Amino acid sequence: MAFLDNAGKWKEDSVDMELRFGIVGGGLGGFIGKVHRQGAIIDDLAVLVCGCFSRNEEKNRATGRKWHIKDESRIYGDFREMAEAESKRGDGIDFVSIATPNNSHYEIARCFLEHGINVMCDKPLALNVEQGIKLKKLAEEKGLMFGLTYTFTGYAMIRQAREMIDHGEIGNILHVVAEFPQDWLIVAQSNDHSDQAVWRMEPEIAGKSLCTADIGTHLEQLIVQMTGLKVKRVLARFDTYPRTLPLETNTTVLMDFGDEISGTIWASQIALGYECGVRIRVFGTDGALEWSHDEPGVLKYTKLNEPTRVMRATRDYLYPESRRLSRLPSGHPEGFFEAFGNIYHSYCEQLQAKIEGRKAESYTYPTIDDGIQGLKFIDACVESNKNGNIWVDVE
Amino acid sequence: MAFLDNAGKWKEDSVDMELRFGIVGGGLGGFIGKVHRQGAIIDDLAVLVCGCFSRNEEKNRATGRKWHIKDESRIYGDFREMAEAESKRGDGIDFVSIATPNNSHYEIARCFLEHGINVMCDKPLALNVEQGIKLKKLAEEKGLMFGLTYTFTGYAMIRQAREMIDHGEIGNILHVVAEFPQDWLIVAQSNDHSDQAVWRMEPEIAGKSLCTADIGTHLEQLIVQMTGLKVKRVLARFDTYPRTLPLETNTTVLMDFGDEISGTIWASQIALGYECGVRIRVFGTDGALEWSHDEPGVLKYTKLNEPTRVMRATRDYLYPESRRLSRLPSGHPEGFFEAFGNIYHSYCEQLQAKIEGRKAESYTYPTIDDGIQGLKFIDACVESNKNGNIWVDVE
Amino acid sequence: MAFLDNAGKWKEDSVDMELRFGIVGGGLGGFIGKVHRQGAIIDDLAVLVCGCFSRNEEKNRATGRKWHIKDESRIYGDFREMAEAESKRGDGIDFVSIATPNNSHYEIARCFLEHGINVMCDKPLALNVEQGIKLKKLAEEKGLMFGLTYTFTGYAMIRQAREMIDHGEIGNILHVVAEFPQDWLIVAQSNDHSDQAVWRMEPEIAGKSLCTADIGTHLEQLIVQMTGLKVKRVLARFDTYPRTLPLETNTTVLMDFGDEISGTIWASQIALGYECGVRIRVFGTDGALEWSHDEPGVLKYTKLNEPTRVMRATRDYLYPESRRLSRLPSGHPEGFFEAFGNIYHSYCEQLQAKIEGRKAESYTYPTIDDGIQGLKFIDACVESNKNGNIWVDVE
Amino acid sequence: MAFLDNAGKWKEDSVDMELRFGIVGGGLGGFIGKVHRQGAIIDDLAVLVCGCFSRNEEKNRATGRKWHIKDESRIYGDFREMAEAESKRGDGIDFVSIATPNNSHYEIARCFLEHGINVMCDKPLALNVEQGIKLKKLAEEKGLMFGLTYTFTGYAMIRQAREMIDHGEIGNILHVVAEFPQDWLIVAQSNDHSDQAVWRMEPEIAGKSLCTADIGTHLEQLIVQMTGLKVKRVLARFDTYPRTLPLETNTTVLMDFGDEISGTIWASQIALGYECGVRIRVFGTDGALEWSHDEPGVLKYTKLNEPTRVMRATRDYLYPESRRLSRLPSGHPEGFFEAFGNIYHSYCEQLQAKIEGRKAESYTYPTIDDGIQGLKFIDACVESNKNGNIWVDVE
């Protein structure tokens, strides 16, 4: 990946890395598989060599062909078969990407871990904390890497925010306000588009939560990655519309982070006028930061008694940790694919370093610990809501 | 007041109205007195004829002189004296504006009501619900009008929103999100500007709440006026910074409006990057509305499955109830003074109609019932916070 | 007028000033009279004591009554009569405001000057440069003040921009881009609202230019007041729509300011989507400034190699010259009336100082020299366009 | 490429296409090669199989390796060698992408055309019109396709705008205003980053124009593709800063499109505060459209007498021609890579159809005719500026 260093020269990192990976799920007829694949290959750190993209054999083959898998024997009809076969090959995959609905994450991830294969998994990690802890133990026993694609944490300006916070540029954090309104569900219901992701509304597949697990958890992780804070306890309120749905579609969560730091999350899937409206504001004693997904290359910074500064991706005035997550000169927008790419980039860098037995640079990505924390957060929210919106510890 | 009617002609209303009024408080050296006076006179419906602007005699006289009070005997040193003298004059005031700190509202309002004089009072109405109810009873007994200047409710596009909601243009309301971040307090503390409104931080003067009573209550009333909903119960969380202050500076409130309609308020006086950042979003089954104080002449409207529309003040496509709250052609910004002016305009129209024994047109303004509701809201928030953030009914 | 000084205290200026003024034109049934009156009285520096508001006697009287002119004999049926009568009174007016259509400015202004009365005139100053020069000579002979209400120059953030430029904060100016799109004319034509300002389209009343004289000239003056530059030569292109109109409705002007500084103006009255969309950008060697009428309390400042700063009215970090043009705490929007008010404020301050024989502080307002420059600019544009879009000197 | 069809289902097009291509130029150490490669492969319609990426042998090899060219013999040291070798292979490339500095485009393109290979070329097509016409003749003789990557034309919302205009949704076009401010050059000069693209400032390499050829031409093509208009004549003004540079850095162009349709282009490389600030506004008799590169997924549409609508990529209410240029659900930002991808996508679709002897769907991309028109535009601007800013026909 080429990025502009502080001398204004394009610097290329990891020129000779070429990891091998496969994908489970994400076949043609959706977009999430493409996002994972694109994220993994955009910086040419990894090559897709196999997959098990769909239970529908025709779609499975078509996807493999489309994605240039030359050896048809590596388009597998079953993920277990894939894990086994790949683990036995000399040129087997270095990691697997899991892009299936929530309820299968656990089983698939466990299977690949058991076969000694590193995992990158779509969020949420699993259906419950117990599953998450089992996966963690297994990964640790096997000495394997486990990453999670909390997309929004991959944006270059979120990394900039984290560096600024760590360098004390906003003082002590006082309050965090994060929101994720979208209109997806109310529009899908009205248009009978609901088939496109109907599984998200089914408790058996999605788990015990819809809105909180699907998008609220993105906010929780965004806060964690952007600020370094951890959610200590929550008070959650769920609303459901249409009223007949089994799971919630609108979530408000009050949070404590310890040290008298408080915050609020609002996630909604019935918010007309919003599509993927993630926005986060962090208020400190000496400054504040604000980021919105509408213009992901922008970070607003207000220092006490000074005008708000509108910081933009790639510029010289950013921290190097942020600058090297941009592939293009300033003003050339990067988007969702590239944010995914940044998470994969960090994961691949770490994995390559591990393979080579050296310490990687400070690239970061959401780990299985973050994934477990995310599940605890969902659990605590569900429990809080069920019990009349009381405070519940996230543990 | 001239406004553009739907035929694109300037129409003047209430040409010959000339009510007389006085002000208590608001002397030179602050801005709130000017806001009240300007609000009352901007459309030439009322004339300032007397006042008791300051306990400092020199400032009192200077203010009266500055504001063209010709008869110096009507610059009173004491509000009681003013109420008594004015009530006895044949050309005494039709109403009094109260622009003093919170803790004196009750006493002053009561005094003028007892002397048969209509009242326009800055918010909050009083220090507690009991005081509010007493004032209401007194006003009713005396047959007097009592208005409250919840500024934000005066903007023309808030009136447009109300008409749209009443006409079903967003379907059934599902969720309301309102916020009022400002940096006033944290900046004032850092700059030692705290003298400018230090009384707001003193429980004896401000009452039992700082942030909720000062600005949270603006949001509550904005919701009431914009949507027609009433807050049924609240769950409030207060934060305080600097930690040594006796009252809260950051407030989050979960709300129930009945009929499974929910909402959230966030008000903060330590939010760097914001000045008077009122923003309200109302989500319904068929549409959504959004208004922000940063561009008060704009209302965003999203209908299900359609692009967001950016509606602008004065335009032909607005309801007449909104259009007649604009004094200028579209694109000529009106601001805070004019929003105050709209509340006074409605109040004066009603008062004139009352004096003439006729029914006024549908102009509206926040009444003493709204003021009492606002006090109940504050009380319920304080109680909820004190008891560990439990639900408390607003009644 | 109260404003926040740098110690965060409200400071009141000119407490005891009370100039007397009258208005010619601007009667009820339009909005421009109200704007002038409100501008003149908003800070209580002047009192309206007479006027000749309309040739329609009934409207004339109604306006005077509405605007609290107590002495009916000072509601004049003819401006000449007004000039004569007022000039003879001991308590005659200190200045007159002229709010009539363009073609009568010259005659009215001359009449009042001849009677020894100071003038504040709506723009443009007159129909041609010759008239302007005559007025200037007359004002000088008589030792009278002559101001012009180029509204946009009155905004507090324009004053801030000027101070920043004068203090070298953007280095040497390289290029200026200013625009004023509005949809007024195309909307008026489509809705048959054209009666509201039909005179603007009549060459006999409006002069030899429509769009350039009506709004292009606002941009020229805005540049002059904001930057201190003067337009040396122009190359103008006019377009007309509807094609049948006698005067232009869309204007583009290339400009030279000398010293290799260039610029462009675009003004349009057929720009759907815009209402009063003034926007100006000044690019220098070390920084750039940007102001838009949509958010008049904001000024964007970009220093070379730094993030754009969003400066806001009233804040401590502004120059005092800007701060004292704000009446309200930061975040409380002031608009068109207050911008007018700032021009009148400066004019009245200067006038009072002149009356008292002292030097006024540095308040500024557009003078007759600016007005003449504005007429020369219009002339040069008309000539350039007529001759195939050639360069024409502004002199 | 998967996109959401109007029934809300993901549809995949061109599943089995797999064109072969090579790149000349664009080696590691810059970003433009990556943009071309990513654009060509993002939808898996083409595979990079060879290249001649740099005259520096080491960089050439490293680039080939990085980009997974398995057969090292297809990493060529010379473009002529590449053209010859590839033209002789049975599995030779279907097209070549040219990503070198301006002055070599002609020679390289000619060479590949002569060897019967289709071309996709970075803009501008060549250094002068004569070269362009020769290339066109050659391509026609050989029956080859020739595309140009005018990036901004690839955005999905530009395609939406074109469909709306073609369907009469803004009536007859009256005026077009397009701008492209950036701070690249002034920042590079100040930071001594000028090495990153110093060739752009050298007439021998860049041609006779800097700002106009580099970015002004983007605006010209954007207008052409978005509106269907052609520039008939221009009046251009160039400014240069730093004054010592041989070529212009700021360009203003008045344009005629015939039928009394006018327009203006402003392009600047010294505009502090802007990075890649392309913005285009098209005003018609019944409506107006506005697009800005800052939020490329948004198109603003104002219909006469209606509020501005904010249209967003991927939504159901868009034309299918726009929808199928989005790979992600609404609200998931796509950026510069994907815009490039859309141009390549259209080119590849057409090429595949040509290979298969069938008519392609209506995908469009900028052709050699557009490229020649772009060169004529630059020529005419240069001539206009040289001759004192006179009108020059574009022919």
Side-chain angles (χ1 to χ4, degrees), chain A residues 1 43 120 148-161 218 221-223 225-226 278 291 293 296-297 313 321-327 334-347 363-366:
Chain A
M1 168 177 180
D43 295 322
M120 181 65 113
L148 284 140
T149 52
Y150 286 99
T151 329
F152 304 97
T153 68
Y155 282 103
M157 298 312 277
I158 296 299
R159 169 54 46 186
Q160 170 67 14
H218 270 301
Q221 265 306 299
L222 185 54
I223 293 170
Q225 302 290 337
M226 179 166 159
V278 175
W291 180 85
H293 194 224
E321 287 79 3
S322 170
R323 288 166 58 78
R324 71 176 168 199
L325 298 179
S326 295
R327 292 152 189 81
E334 300 189 39
F336 199 81
F337 285 119
E338 291 80 18
F340 242 81
N342 288 338
I343 296 174
Y344 268 101
H345 193 114
S346 300
Y347 181 88
Y363 287 98
T364 66
Y365 61 91

Side-chain angles (χ1 to χ4, degrees), chain D residues 254-272:
Chain D
L254 307 187
M255 297 173 297
D256 265 353
F257 300 98
D259 297 325
E260 298 188 60
I261 304 167
S262 61
T264 307
I265 276 176
W266 170 53
S268 181
Q269 296 172 314
I270 52 97
L272 289 171

Side-chain angles (χ1 to χ4, degrees), chain C residues 237 256 274 279 290 391, chain D residues 237 256 274 279 290 389:
Chain C
R237 173 196 189 138
D256 265 353
Y274 289 87
R279 188 178 175 215
E290 176 165 348
W391 283 105
Chain D
R237 175 199 187 135
D256 265 353
Y274 290 87
R279 188 179 175 214
E290 176 165 348
N389 323 113

Side-chain angles (χ1 to χ4, degrees), chain A residues 61-88:
Chain A
R61 302 244 145 245
T63 307
R65 234 169 27 238
K66 177 77 181 164
W67 291 350
H68 311 295
I69 295 181
K70 300 303 177 192
D71 180 350
E72 292 230 354
S73 73
R74 294 174 87 174
I75 304 174
Y76 301 96
D78 180 84
F79 72 84
R80 287 180 192 82
E81 183 196 343
M82 172 173 158
E84 180 148 356
E86 290 294 321
S87 69
K88 289 180 178 161

Side-chain angles (χ1 to χ4, degrees), chain A residues 174-175 283-285 287-288, chain B residues 181-187 189 211 215 239-242 245 249-250 266-274:
Chain A
L174 296 172
H175 196 61
F283 300 98
T285 51
Chain B
Q182 61 175 204
D183 65 358
W184 162 71
L185 192 140
I186 195 166
V187 167
Q189 294 270 339
C211 180
I215 62 173
D239 304 292
T240 298
Y241 179 83
L245 283 185
T249 57
N250 189 78
W266 170 53
S268 181
Q269 297 171 315
I270 52 96
L272 289 170
Y274 290 87

Side-chain angles (χ1 to χ4, degrees), chain A residues 170-188:
Chain A
I170 65 168
N172 298 319
I173 296 174
L174 296 172
H175 196 61
V176 180
V177 178
E179 66 181 47
F180 191 159
Q182 60 174 205
D183 66 358
W184 162 70
L185 192 141
I186 196 167
V187 167

